[in-house]
Amino acid sequence: MAMNELRDAVVQVKSEVTPGQAETTGFTTIEINGTDSAGVLSPDLAFVEATVLRPDFDQRPGTPGRAKSNISIPSYATAKPAADPVAPTPANGILLKACGLSETVSGESCTYTPTTTDQSMTVWSFNDGIKTISAGVRGGFSLDMSAGQYPTMSFTGEGDYTAPSNGAVPVATYPNEILHQVATASMTIGGVSGLVIRNFSFTWDVTQTERLDVNSSNGYKGTAVTAKVGRISTTVEFQDSTSTWNPEALLTAGATHAVNLEVGDFTAGASGSAIRFESAAAQITGVSRSADSGVLVASIDMIATGATPFNLIFKSADLS
């Protein structure tokens, strides 16, 4: 028996027509950020023990409990090039729809917005000759943008469990998409520009609650999405004057503020791809100050509020 070295790995996804019913064809290949795909699909298997008190300390046999898969897909946030305006939807759009976001295509841009409808997806993971599948996958995502680096987007969620089986690694066609360095970006907080911003991260936390059911197999009927919240974190150099921008004053005022971040070029009439995050009503929930090699910085936490807490837009070409 040969050793599986994870040297040949492919991860593919597809939105489901019927929630929980596995898709079998027409998958999109996701470019994994990293070198280890073993944790993309991890089994989460419960076991029910029968503990009894006997003079001979015999242990009664137990029984399998609920079974599900934990999914973790680390990738990059990418956008289609200007030469591919026909399909502006990014490959990661399938992951975003599985986070409860709607997908709206307008011209050469694609916008993802929170919705009350929860779309699920099927995930296929191939590692050498081992194939693992999970249907009914839903979850949340995080978007991280650090100055000078590539933007990353990671999906975490849960889905149905299927035991691994033998399966040849498919011939993968990777999406033709552009990685934008987080540089010469445009980020404003509360309409204030010119801030020195070291990093930005957004996390869409989606809570799934297990549904225990005496009428279902192993007493388990899957999960239900019970909560969603968007959290923003950023590190900003504290300015030498608080007259322009004072995050602590904004926190104590309790008001909401617009937060916008663009990587790439969204200028009307400009060609090229770009990614834009926008939250019209972000509220500062925490501010902490620290010194970094003699530079005073502020770590700021916010929540995205309102009926539309945020939009995530991918532009493939001219928006004019």
Side-chain angles (χ1 to χ4, degrees):
M1 181 178 293
M3 179 177 62
N4 190 304
E5 301 180 67
L6 294 175
R7 65 188 181 276
D8 195 358
V10 170
V11 175
Q12 297 182 322
V13 298
K14 185 178 182 181
S15 297
E16 294 173 346
V17 176
T18 302
Q21 183 173 318
E23 297 292 331
T24 58
T25 60
F27 285 86
T28 296
T29 303
I30 300 296
E31 250 183 334
I32 297 299
N33 172 17
T35 58
D36 185 359
S37 66
V40 168
L41 284 175
S42 298
D44 188 347
L45 309 176
F47 186 81
V48 182
E49 293 187 1
T51 303
V52 296
L53 180 62
R54 294 182 178 179
D56 53 4
F57 297 104
D58 280 353
Q59 173 68 51
R60 290 191 58 158
T63 187
R66 66 105 180 93
K68 62 181 179 180
S69 293
N70 293 327
I71 290 85
S72 177
I73 304 178
S75 61
Y76 290 104
T78 56
K80 289 289 183 71
D84 188 12
V86 177
T89 54
N92 284 337
I94 297 173
L95 307 182
L96 293 172
K97 288 192 291 183
C99 297
L101 306 185
S102 64
E103 180 182 80
T104 303
V105 176
S106 178
E108 292 139 352
S109 70
C110 186
T111 301
Y112 294 90
T113 305
T115 179
T116 55
T117 302
D118 292 309
Q119 172 90 56
S120 59
M121 66 177 175
T122 300
V123 178
W124 291 59
S125 178
F126 298 86
N127 290 291
D128 281 342
I130 305 300
K131 175 181 68 176
T132 312
I133 306 169
S134 182
V137 176
R138 297 176 298 184
F141 76 96
S142 62
L143 176 67
D144 293 287
M145 296 189 178
S146 296
Q149 304 299 312
Y150 290 129
T152 61
M153 196 184 83
S154 299
F155 172 91
T156 55
E158 300 177 2
D160 298 336
Y161 172 76
T162 303
S165 60
N166 295 331
V169 177
V171 177
T173 300
Y174 288 94
N176 176 31
E177 298 186 0
I178 294 176
L179 271 172
H180 287 281
Q181 184 186 35
V182 183
T184 60
S186 172
M187 180 173 176
T188 59
I189 303 176
V192 178
S193 59
L195 300 172
V196 180
I197 301 172
R198 300 194 171 190
N199 54 61
F200 166 89
S201 68
F202 174 76
T203 301
W204 183 234
D205 280 329
V206 176
T207 302
Q208 297 190 68
T209 302
E210 293 184 358
R211 302 172 64 197
L212 303 180
D213 177 27
V214 297
N215 293 316
S216 296
S217 176
N218 295 324
Y220 178 66
K221 197 175 177 62
T223 63
V225 175
T226 55
K228 302 174 184 177
V229 61
R231 303 186 185 278
I232 300 169
S233 297
T234 186
T235 303
V236 184
E237 286 190 7
F238 214 99
Q239 307 300 297
D240 55 6
S241 172
T242 59
S243 59
T244 302
W245 189 68
N246 187 340
E248 293 176 29
L250 298 177
L251 170 60
T252 56
T256 60
H257 312 273
V259 175
N260 299 307
L261 171 61
E262 296 178 0
V263 176
D265 192 352
F266 265 86
T267 305
S271 62
S273 60
I275 301 172
R276 176 181 173 87
F277 171 89
E278 54 187 29
S279 177
Q283 188 173 34
I284 297 177
T285 60
V287 179
S288 61
R289 285 178 283 169
S290 61
D292 182 6
S293 301
V295 178
L296 183 63
V297 297
S299 297
I300 303 168
D301 296 321
M302 294 175 267
I303 56 173
T305 70
T308 303
F310 73 94
N311 290 310
L312 187 57
I313 307 169
F314 295 83
K315 167 181 173 287
S316 64
D318 176 21
L319 283 175
S320 61

